[in-house]
């Protein structure tokens, strides 16, 4: 009897093992598949969707040991959209997790499905190949976490753009600060007032920004595209109020202008490009050319005016090609002028077959927030925005408060958001509504230098219920009172708010504000634009839907390279450029 009992126990144990072993194998595969370096070991909790044999979505939820403690912020992910597959560890703690053999048997999980899902996650993490590999992820958490906070972009970079970025990264690695080629080039340039560019020399473009952070970001992205198109290495002169805002965008190489760079403290005093009008005429007509200095300053602030009205012409490009170091000062988004250069036209069209995606891709490539501003972004998002069913961004910039009373701007804002169903109306009376079981919520992020607009919206949605039954929360990250130039703390808050606005589902911006331009383009959003109001009467209509998400170039060139005559209708010559909604004399790129 004892022997029979022992045999029975062994049979039972063997049967249990036979049932459990497939489950254990699947669990091991899933744990290995979802390894995530951000969490150190296994990435905490993971929720994933797979396609079963019948083509239906199958959800598997698993657990893993908690990540080791660290000082930096935790990852989070908005789950309001069905295409967001990974949630935050905190969100998944509330799920009932089952890994029994029977449950696992009901989930048809093939190795190919796991591989495909992993490839999709990696693809989304690198923004479909836009971001290069090889970075230390801990040094720039946002670079590989940003996809967790936003919906997947409907836009994908072209293969030609990706190849151009990889080529540029190789050039920057070869010619970047204090490389062998950089040192030899600088030695040659220091020795002579006139240096001809040779094959073994690197050429550089030094970005020198101006005005607020939004202006600097759109002009820096424009300068980078110019560098890519002209095989120049981009170096940036960041003032103290920009240090610590962004991660280094290039692997194993710096983009900072070195401290020992020639004329570093006198860049604006270098020979100016607009002084070479005689040279450009000679070059155009085959005359004898005067030798060019090795360092030339090109001023494109406010578009450059008539001083550089032929910047978009091929003969200007040919002339500048002979300058080893070009110092470019700008506060404008001059990308449209690069589409106007005949020798660039085909290349930029290959890079950006959807013309309105230029800053969307270049901004995401260049401007990964450094760890400190990223902490501000994530903490605010998790506290106020992540759990809402819809996120609404309101960017309100009043350029001349003395000419536009706060109440006038408030009336214009309400007319825009209520008449276009961005926000719900409130009931005419204060009668209470019964609590709904499935009430949806909207989180409204207000970005403004003052808090009056936030206070008014909060009071409105607190005093009366919405006619739709939706719950509306209104939040503001900061209110500085006025724009502060030269303040690193001010710029860090500005960057955080631009990025938070870009995470919204719907966006309302202020006309001619580069702050709004950056937010809409990073987020891939086509905003409602509130027109500039001057006086006591609000503009009508209060706002217009943007033609595209691209920033507006406020001061585009207006002269034909061939005829030298003024171009009255730029859209007739360049069909994918249209007048800006908020500045008629400006132009912006649109898809055609």
């Amino acid at each position: 009897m004892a022997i029979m009992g022992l045999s029975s126990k062994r049979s039972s144990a063997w049967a249990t093992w036979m049932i459990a072993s497939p489950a254990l194998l699947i669990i091991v595969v899933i744990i290995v598949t979802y390894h995530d370096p951000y969490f150190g070991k296994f990435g905490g909790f993971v929720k994933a969707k797979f396609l079963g044999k019948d083509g239906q979505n199958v959800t598997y939820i698993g657990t893993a040991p908690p990540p080791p403690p660290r000082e930096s912020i935790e990852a989070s992910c908005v789950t309001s959209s069905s295409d967001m597959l990974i949630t935050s560890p905190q969100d998944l703690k509330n799920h009932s997790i089952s890994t029994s053999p029977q449950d696992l048997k009901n989930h048809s999980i093939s190795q190919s499905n796991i591989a495909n899902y992993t490839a999709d996650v990696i693809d989304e993490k690198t923004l479909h190949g836009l971001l290069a590999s090889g970075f230390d992820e801990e040094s720039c958490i946002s670079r590989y976490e940003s996809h967790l906070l936003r919906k997947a972009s409907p836009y994908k970079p072209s293969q030609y753009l990706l190849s151009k970025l990889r080529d540029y990264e190789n050039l920057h690695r070869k010619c970047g600060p204090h490389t062998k080629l950089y040192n030899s080039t600088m030695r040659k340039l220091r020795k002579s007032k006139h240096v001809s560019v040779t094959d073994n020399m690197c050429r550089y473009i030094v970005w020198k920004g101006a005005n607020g952070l939004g202006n600097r970001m759109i002009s820096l992205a424009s300068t980078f595209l110019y560098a890519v198109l002209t095989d120049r290495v981009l170096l940036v002169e960041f003032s103290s109020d920009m240090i610590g805002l962004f991660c280094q965008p290039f692997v194993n190489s710096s983009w900072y202008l070195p401290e020992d760079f020639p004329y570093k403290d006198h860049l604006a005093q270098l020979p100016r490009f607009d002084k070479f009008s005689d040279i450009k005429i000679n070059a155009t007509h085959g005359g004898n050319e005067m030798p060019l200095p090795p360092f030339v300053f090109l001023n494109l602030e406010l578009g450059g005016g008539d001083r550089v009205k032929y910047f978009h012409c091929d003969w200007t490009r040919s002339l500048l090609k002979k300058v080893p170091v070009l110092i470019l000062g700008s506060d404008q988004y001059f990308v449209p002028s690069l589409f106007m250069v005949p020798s660039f036209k085909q290349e930029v069209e290959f890079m950006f077959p959807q013309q309105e995606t230029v800053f969307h891709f270049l901004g995401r490539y260049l401007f990964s927030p450094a760890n400190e501003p990223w902490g501000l972004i994530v903490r605010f998002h998790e506290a106020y925005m992540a759990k809402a069913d819809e996120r609404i961004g309101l960017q309100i910039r009043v350029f001349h408060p003395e000419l536009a009373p706060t109440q006038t701007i408030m009336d214009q804002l309400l007319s825009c958001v209520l008449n276009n169903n961005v926000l719900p109306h409130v009931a005419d009376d204060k009668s209470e509504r019964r609590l709904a079981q499935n009430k949806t919520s909207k989180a409204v992020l207000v970005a403004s230098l003052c808090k009056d607009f936030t206070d008014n919206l909060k009071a409105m949605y607190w005093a009366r219920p919405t006619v739709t039954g939706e719950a509306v929360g209104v939040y503001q990250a900061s209110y500085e009172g006025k724009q502060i130039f030269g303040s690193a703390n001010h710029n860090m808050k500005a960057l955080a708010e631009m990025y938070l606005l870009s995470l919204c589902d719907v966006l309302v911006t202020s006309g001619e504000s580069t702050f709004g331009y950056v937010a809409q383009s990073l987020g891939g959003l086509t905003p409602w634009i509130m027109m500039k109001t001057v006086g006591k009467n609000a503009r009508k209509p209060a706002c217009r839907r943007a033609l595209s998400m691209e920033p507006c170039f406020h001061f585009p060139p207006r002269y034909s390279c061939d005829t030298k005559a003024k171009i009255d209708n730029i859209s007739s010559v360049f069909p994918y450029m249209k007048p800006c909604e908020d500045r008629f004399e400006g132009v912006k790129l649109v898809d055609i």
Side-chain angles (χ1 to χ4, degrees):
M1 293 294 291
I3 294 175
M4 291 179 63
L6 180 60
S7 176
S8 176
K9 290 180 179 179
R10 287 177 176 173
S11 298
S12 176
W14 176 254
T16 301
W17 168 252
M18 291 295 290
I19 293 173
S21 57
L24 292 174
L25 177 59
I26 293 174
I27 292 171
V28 169
V29 170
I30 291 172
I31 289 175
V32 171
T33 302
Y34 297 134
H35 176 275
D36 187 343
Y38 166 72
F39 289 107
K41 291 189 177 180
F42 301 108
F45 296 85
V46 177
K47 177 180 180 181
K49 291 184 179 179
F50 303 90
L51 290 178
K53 291 182 179 178
D54 58 355
Q56 299 299 313
N57 281 337
V58 179
T59 302
Y60 171 72
I61 301 174
T63 63
R70 48 188 267 178
E71 295 179 359
S72 52
I73 43 84
E74 292 287 331
S76 70
C77 183
V78 183
T79 58
S80 60
S81 172
S82 59
D83 60 6
M84 297 299 290
L85 303 182
I86 301 178
T87 65
S88 67
Q90 186 60 42
D91 290 339
L92 284 175
K93 286 181 181 178
N94 299 323
H95 284 271
S96 175
I97 300 172
S98 174
T99 55
S100 68
Q102 186 59 42
D103 289 338
L104 290 173
K105 188 181 292 185
N106 294 332
H107 295 278
S108 176
I109 303 174
S110 68
Q111 187 64 37
S112 62
N113 281 336
I114 293 173
N116 289 338
Y117 174 75
T118 305
D120 289 342
V121 171
I122 294 173
D123 202 31
E124 190 62 33
K125 191 174 182 179
T126 62
L127 307 183
H128 302 288
L130 192 68
L131 304 179
S133 59
F135 286 97
D136 172 18
E137 296 193 17
E138 292 298 317
S139 68
C140 183
I141 299 171
S142 70
R143 178 176 281 116
Y144 298 112
E145 269 193 6
S146 61
H147 72 287
L148 298 176
L149 294 190
R150 64 170 83 250
K151 293 179 181 178
S153 173
Y155 308 99
K156 293 186 179 180
S158 67
Q159 288 301 312
Y160 190 66
L161 172 60
L162 299 183
S163 69
K164 291 293 289 185
L165 291 177
R166 301 295 89 84
D167 289 344
Y168 175 81
E169 290 158 4
N170 290 333
L171 175 65
H172 199 101
R173 195 159 38 244
K174 181 175 71 172
C175 294
H178 301 305
T179 58
K180 183 177 180 180
L181 282 174
Y182 171 87
N183 292 336
S184 64
T185 298
M186 290 304 145
R187 279 196 298 270
K188 292 178 182 178
L189 298 183
R190 283 188 176 99
K191 290 179 180 179
S192 175
K193 292 183 178 180
H194 305 288
V195 177
S196 299
V197 177
T198 60
D199 292 338
N200 62 343
M201 285 179 63
C202 299
R203 292 183 303 130
Y204 297 88
I205 185 166
V206 178
W207 173 81
K208 186 176 176 62
N211 290 323
L213 183 60
N215 289 84
R216 298 185 205 181
M217 291 175 70
I218 60 174
S219 70
L220 178 50
S222 305
T223 305
F224 174 67
L225 179 57
Y226 183 81
V228 172
L229 292 169
T230 57
D231 297 320
R232 289 181 180 270
V233 174
L234 172 66
L235 300 175
V236 297
E237 186 201 33
F238 278 176
S239 51
S240 59
D241 60 346
M242 288 190 70
I243 300 297
L245 292 183
F246 306 111
C247 302
Q248 290 276 2
F250 312 124
V251 181
N252 298 325
S253 186
S254 173
W255 66 341
Y256 291 140
L257 186 69
E259 289 296 325
D260 59 353
F261 187 82
Y263 310 106
K264 184 177 187 299
D265 298 326
H266 309 284
L267 296 180
Q269 281 74 51
L270 290 169
R272 301 173 74 91
F273 169 75
D274 51 282
K275 302 298 183 184
F276 299 108
S277 57
D278 292 337
I279 298 175
K280 70 185 180 185
I281 293 173
N282 287 336
T284 304
H285 298 287
N288 295 324
E289 296 183 25
M290 293 175 56
L292 293 172
F295 297 85
V296 170
F297 180 70
L298 173 62
N299 184 14
L300 293 183
E301 287 186 32
L302 301 178
D306 284 345
R307 300 186 309 275
V308 288
K309 61 185 178 183
Y310 297 118
F311 172 69
H312 60 294
C313 299
D314 261 339
W315 51 262
T316 300
R317 180 197 60 79
S318 298
L319 180 65
L320 290 174
K321 188 176 181 179
K322 301 170 185 177
V323 177
V325 179
L326 180 63
I327 317 298
L328 191 146
S330 177
D331 58 356
Q332 293 293 307
Y333 186 69
F334 60 87
V335 164
S337 66
L338 302 181
F339 277 77
M340 298 169 71
V341 179
S343 57
F344 291 163
K345 183 174 181 293
Q346 187 177 41
E347 192 162 17
V348 290
E349 287 176 353
F350 281 148
M351 292 169 70
F352 304 100
Q354 293 176 285
Q355 285 82 17
E356 70 165 320
T357 61
V358 178
F359 191 88
H360 180 65
F361 290 133
L362 296 186
R364 289 187 173 195
Y365 176 80
L366 290 172
F367 303 124
S368 295
N371 287 352
E372 187 174 355
W374 184 242
L376 299 179
I377 294 164
V378 173
R379 286 190 291 273
F380 188 94
H381 185 271
E382 288 186 333
Y384 303 109
M385 300 171 65
K387 291 181 172 59
D389 296 298
E390 187 177 32
R391 286 153 293 280
I392 312 295
L394 306 179
Q395 185 259 331
I396 308 167
R397 177 65 193 271
V398 184
F399 288 96
H400 302 288
E402 70 281 1
L403 301 178
T406 300
Q407 188 57 52
T408 301
I409 303 299
M410 189 69 207
D411 292 342
Q412 181 181 359
L413 174 65
L414 289 177
S415 176
C416 175
V417 298
L418 297 178
N419 293 339
N420 293 294
N421 298 316
V422 176
L423 289 177
H425 288 265
V426 294
D428 293 334
D429 56 71
K430 298 183 180 180
S431 59
E432 297 301 322
R433 303 292 196 269
R434 294 183 62 85
L435 291 175
Q437 292 294 324
N438 297 313
K439 180 181 291 187
T440 58
S441 63
K442 293 180 184 285
V444 181
L445 169 65
V446 179
S448 177
L449 291 171
C450 63
K451 64 175 184 175
D452 294 346
F453 307 106
T454 299
D455 290 343
N456 288 336
L457 286 171
K458 278 185 176 180
M460 184 176 81
Y461 285 111
W462 187 31
R464 288 183 170 85
T466 61
V467 295
T468 59
E470 295 171 295
V472 178
V474 183
Y475 312 101
Q476 185 168 351
S478 71
Y479 41 90
E480 299 285 89
K482 62 179 181 179
Q483 187 169 4
I484 305 172
F485 293 97
S487 168
N489 186 54
H490 181 84
N491 280 342
M492 188 172 296
K493 292 176 183 178
L495 175 62
E497 292 187 37
M498 286 184 209
Y499 207 97
L500 286 166
L501 287 170
S502 79
L503 300 177
C504 291
D505 303 303
V506 182
L507 190 59
V508 177
T509 63
S510 295
E512 300 188 31
S513 171
T514 56
F515 193 106
Y517 294 163
V518 171
Q520 70 196 40
S521 298
L522 285 179
L525 302 168
T526 304
W528 292 94
I529 304 176
M530 290 202 306
M531 300 298 106
K532 237 178 174 181
T533 291
V534 177
K536 295 182 179 180
N537 297 320
R539 290 283 295 270
K540 293 182 180 180
C543 58
R544 295 176 58 188
R545 197 67 186 265
L547 296 173
S548 77
M549 60 182 169
E550 272 285 279
C552 174
F553 183 14
H554 289 173
F555 302 95
R558 292 290 182 181
Y559 292 89
S560 167
C561 296
D562 297 325
T563 66
K564 307 296 187 294
K566 191 171 182 178
I567 303 173
D568 293 323
N569 183 3
I570 201 166
S571 298
S572 64
V573 183
F574 305 98
Y576 43 70
M577 294 186 199
K578 301 294 182 185
C580 301
E581 308 84 356
D582 53 340
R583 187 181 177 89
F584 188 76
E585 60 269 32
V587 297
K588 69 187 305 183
L589 294 170
V590 300
D591 286 342
I592 56 172

